[in-house]
Amino acid sequence: MYEHGFFSAKIKLPSDYTAGVVVALYASNGDVFEKNHDELDIEFLGNVEGKPWRFQTNLYGNGSTSRGREERYRLWFDPSKEFHRYSILWTAKNIIFYVDEVPIREVVRSDEMGGDYPTKPMSIYATIWDASSWATNGGKIKVNYDYAPFTADFKELVLEGCPMDPIQEYPDFTTCKEKDAWLEIRNFAVLTPKRRSAMRKFRQHYMYYSCCYDVWRYPVKLPDCVIDPIEKARFNDTGRLRFSGSHKKQAKIAKARRKKKQRAASDERTDV
């Protein structure tokens, strides 16, 4: 188990019909702290044949499972065709999720988060499992074992952190200060302006759900949510995109609206 760290793996997902299947790279201490566990998730959600994989990030602290912090995304590539690297950075100050070299989400720790921020040592898991109850179309489409076996490949795992025994009566958390300081100055821990720009573009093009914009679920926004007005304008009160369908569909609608305005403006000039 690790007290903070950088955890990463190259993963290739199953292909064809994968509805109901979840592949995950995650950190958890649920086997030690059953009632107040911490967790950091990257979970890939299978789909029917011909439809793309989607994935979500999430975190819990101190058993705060009733306040899930899910975000869901599409990818700009087919993750079943070749390996791609997925990573989680967890420090005392922030959490950053990565796809390849692109940061896709940052959660900055604040006093207001309290125990919702993961703080206890966690182990790292690589899993594939049957999540028929929720993974695809809200659980409407189940795993079809006629398409089994479902195989996920993991390689080149990176586990950089401070090993810690979580069941010590008086754990000495100061032993990790040196490792924490090392983590915080590593290249992957620094979000340069270029990386922040890449993260913003990813979220604009591929994020289709965010708990931060889900007003029905959280009438009072979660304390770690940073509301981006441009980003917020794209989502409705359920935290989902205002227009059903893909970002490409949204782009087509926006383009059609621009053309309509241009024609109207042209007609006005002709009338004058």
Side-chain angles (χ1 to χ4, degrees):
M1 302 184 82
Y2 296 89
E3 177 68 19
H4 306 138
F6 179 75
F7 314 117
S8 179
K10 284 190 173 180
I11 306 172
K12 185 167 71 171
L13 302 177
S15 58
D16 303 322
Y17 188 101
T18 55
V21 175
V22 165
V23 176
L25 175 70
Y26 71 103
S28 177
N29 49 34
D31 56 338
V32 178
F33 304 100
E34 293 182 6
K35 295 183 179 180
N36 62 337
H37 81 287
D38 305 292
E39 192 169 316
L40 294 168
D41 299 318
I42 297 178
E43 296 177 307
F44 301 93
L45 314 179
N47 217 330
V48 297
E49 190 169 2
K51 297 289 186 178
W53 279 86
R54 300 179 180 187
F55 76 108
Q56 70 177 23
T57 59
N58 200 1
L59 65 143
Y60 301 113
N62 206 36
S64 59
T65 54
S66 63
R67 294 183 297 281
R69 288 166 159 83
E70 298 93 341
E71 286 189 351
R72 290 191 175 185
Y73 325 87
R74 298 177 179 87
L75 288 161
W76 62 95
F77 53 81
D78 184 343
S80 69
K81 297 298 185 185
E82 56 187 12
F83 285 91
H84 287 268
R85 182 167 291 283
Y86 307 91
S87 310
I88 303 170
L89 171 70
W90 170 43
T91 76
K93 298 177 180 179
N94 66 342
I95 297 159
I96 304 174
F97 296 91
Y98 278 91
V99 175
D100 290 327
E101 302 300 319
V102 180
I104 64 167
R105 181 182 188 182
E106 181 186 27
V107 177
V108 178
R109 186 178 187 177
S110 65
D111 293 339
E112 291 76 17
M113 285 187 73
D116 285 5
Y117 191 88
T119 57
K120 297 185 292 294
M122 291 189 277
S123 297
I124 314 306
Y125 297 85
T127 64
I128 182 169
W129 53 290
D130 184 331
S132 291
S133 62
W134 63 273
T136 307
N137 284 9
K140 294 178 182 177
I141 306 177
K142 314 296 184 183
V143 172
N144 185 340
Y145 284 96
D146 289 343
Y147 292 88
F150 303 102
T151 304
D153 296 301
F154 291 74
K155 69 177 184 178
E156 297 181 30
L157 274 74
V158 177
L159 304 176
E160 289 281 3
C162 181
M164 173 71 70
D165 182 354
I167 59 174
Q168 289 181 26
E169 186 174 1
Y170 301 105
D172 183 7
F173 291 102
T174 62
T175 59
C176 290
K177 283 188 175 180
E178 185 176 331
K179 191 69 173 183
D180 283 353
W182 178 84
L183 277 172
E184 290 171 10
I185 62 171
R186 297 285 289 169
N187 179 54
F188 48 69
V190 181
L191 289 184
T192 62
K194 184 177 180 180
R195 282 183 174 166
R196 288 200 178 276
S197 175
M199 181 167 66
R200 184 168 56 253
K201 288 178 181 178
F202 171 85
R203 296 172 68 81
Q204 288 174 352
H205 289 90
Y206 300 103
M207 184 170 73
Y208 68 90
Y209 171 82
S210 173
C211 62
C212 291
Y213 303 125
D214 193 340
V215 179
W216 286 12
R217 185 179 179 190
Y218 298 115
V220 178
K221 78 177 180 67
L222 296 166
D224 47 296
C225 286
V226 178
I227 303 301
D228 180 330
I230 296 176
E231 194 173 88
K232 184 178 186 298
R234 296 172 33 247
F235 292 87
N236 60 31
D237 288 346
T238 64
R240 292 185 170 273
L241 293 174
R242 287 189 178 278
F243 306 109
S244 60
S246 67
H247 289 269
K248 288 183 179 179
K249 184 175 180 180
Q250 289 188 67
K252 287 180 179 179
I253 292 172
K255 187 176 180 180
R257 285 178 174 172
R258 286 196 300 271
K259 285 186 176 180
K260 187 176 180 180
K261 287 182 179 180
Q262 289 171 357
R263 284 197 298 269
S266 177
D267 291 343
E268 286 179 5
R269 286 194 297 270
T270 302
D271 292 340
V272 172

